[in-house]
Amino acid sequence: MSLTISPAALEQRVLNVLQNHGFTEENARAVAQVITAGERDGCKSHGLYRLEGCLKVTAAGKASGTSVPQIHDAGGAIIEVAAGGGFAPASFVAGKDLLAARARELLSPVIAALAMSLSSVSVIGNALRLRGQKL
């Protein structure tokens, strides 16, 4: 028997599981968003399959669901976010606003537009190359 639920409902269920296993809301939400996106997008290695692994490594003490990411900003182009033994998604969330602001400061709009255009060309090129291939 299969069950179909919305991404929002799945994210809430994953969030509840993680919090019931000791994750803080911030850590649980960040990991739940990645797991939900992976499942939604058909990337099974980052979907629900990953949930069991997250629970196992925290139970074994190899990762923490309660860590608080620390941002180290020397003011240049590199922003370091230390996960403190936690999961990467919480660090990504912690650093994203500063990273976006820094990119606006350091990148000219022309370079940013060029980078976005090249990215689109790359995505389209890869899609065309992979079209018809069984993955």
Side-chain angles (χ1 to χ4, degrees):
M1 175 180 166
S2 66
L3 173 67
T4 301
I5 62 174
S6 70
L10 176 60
E11 184 175 326
Q12 187 60 52
R13 287 182 182 198
V14 173
L15 178 71
N16 291 342
V17 167
L18 293 169
Q19 286 184 298
N20 288 338
H21 284 83
F23 280 60
T24 63
E25 182 173 355
E26 295 80 14
N27 281 279
R29 187 163 307 282
V31 172
Q33 287 172 347
V34 169
I35 288 173
T36 302
E39 193 67 25
R40 178 199 65 216
D41 297 343
C43 180
K44 298 302 181 189
S45 64
H46 285 74
L48 286 173
Y49 173 81
R50 184 164 286 259
L51 181 58
E52 182 182 8
C54 290
L55 298 177
K56 283 183 176 182
V57 297
T58 52
K62 296 183 183 286
S64 171
T66 61
S67 66
V68 178
Q70 299 296 312
I71 298 173
H72 305 284
D73 179 14
I78 296 175
I79 298 167
E80 179 184 354
V81 183
F87 292 88
S91 296
F92 298 153
V93 170
K96 77 174 183 174
D97 290 339
L98 180 57
L99 177 62
R102 187 62 47 80
R104 284 190 294 274
E105 290 172 19
L106 298 177
L107 293 176
S108 78
V110 173
I111 292 173
L114 176 62
M116 290 168 50
S117 295
L118 290 175
S119 174
S120 296
V121 168
S122 174
V123 168
I124 292 169
N126 283 331
L128 291 172
R129 183 177 59 81
L130 294 173
R131 184 175 52 184
Q133 291 189 13
K134 184 155 178 77
L135 300 175

